[in-house]
Amino acid sequence: MTDDAKELFLADRVRAFATVILTRRDDLTIAETKQSTGLDLHVYIVREDKPMRLAFGVLLRGVSSSMTADNANKVLGPTMGQFQGMRKFTYPVCLFFFSMRDERAYFSWLAEPVLTEGAPKLMHHAKATCVELTDVLLGQIVERIVGWYDAVEAVLIA
């Protein structure tokens, strides 16, 4: 197998793994992104009680070898630098990093939704801070994004 074929195979596996993780939740739908965004996926949080479209972006990366969270943070240095060179996003964006040898998934914020005294902000990160991506963590990520959008809505519709 050529190096290009290996890279394509790895990219397909990473996308499939991300899809499996995200579609475990009934309230998430996945959409392909436009090449110009620089992201791999847009994920929409389905909430019938909200008139706003709740979305977050996902950047996918992966390696075929085993990897710890600390090693992932080091490996992702160039990716974080590339992200800093992109336009600033106006919605939450996270990074999913996959170690395919041991089928581990890691998560780090790129554009983190934060509330500062109730005001919604997005903190753009320059360094990865990977933690293992579990179903529980994904639930916390979704709730944090929903809370951030609730604060955005409160600011827009005052």
Side-chain angles (χ1 to χ4, degrees):
M1 188 181 287
T2 67
D3 286 344
D4 286 344
K6 286 179 186 176
E7 283 185 36
L8 286 173
F9 181 67
L10 177 62
D12 287 345
R13 285 190 68 201
V14 164
R15 184 174 296 275
F17 202 177
T19 301
V20 167
I21 289 171
L22 291 165
T23 57
R24 287 180 187 151
R25 293 182 57 104
D26 293 337
D27 61 343
L28 299 180
T29 59
I30 302 170
E32 295 294 321
T33 63
K34 295 179 183 170
Q35 292 287 71
S36 62
T37 67
L39 300 175
D40 295 298
L41 302 171
H42 277 112
V43 181
Y44 298 99
I45 303 168
V46 179
R47 295 231 355 231
E48 293 179 15
D49 63 326
K50 291 287 171 199
M52 290 179 61
R53 189 174 189 178
L54 311 182
F56 63 98
V58 180
L59 187 64
L60 299 174
R61 293 292 183 265
V63 293
S64 56
S65 59
S66 294
M67 188 78 45
T68 65
D70 287 339
N71 287 343
N73 290 335
K74 292 174 189 162
V75 168
L76 289 168
T79 296
M80 298 303 288
Q82 289 169 351
F83 182 75
Q84 288 301 307
M86 297 169 72
R87 67 180 171 86
K88 295 293 185 195
F89 285 88
T90 57
Y91 52 89
V93 178
C94 59
L95 171 68
F96 287 1
F97 182 80
F98 299 99
S99 167
M100 301 312 289
R101 169 84 53 204
D102 49 7
E103 295 187 347
R104 295 186 70 167
Y106 298 99
F107 161 85
S108 184
W109 285 110
L110 293 171
E112 179 180 7
V114 295
L115 297 177
T116 305
E117 298 178 14
K121 308 267 186 208
L122 283 173
M123 184 184 325
H124 287 74
H125 291 273
K127 291 186 175 185
T129 54
C130 288
V131 294
E132 191 165 352
L133 179 58
T134 63
D135 290 341
V136 170
L137 179 59
L138 182 58
Q140 293 168 348
I141 293 163
V142 169
E143 286 307 311
R144 186 158 182 197
I145 292 169
V146 169
W148 182 82
Y149 273 110
D150 287 345
V152 168
E153 181 181 11
V155 168
L156 293 176
I157 306 170

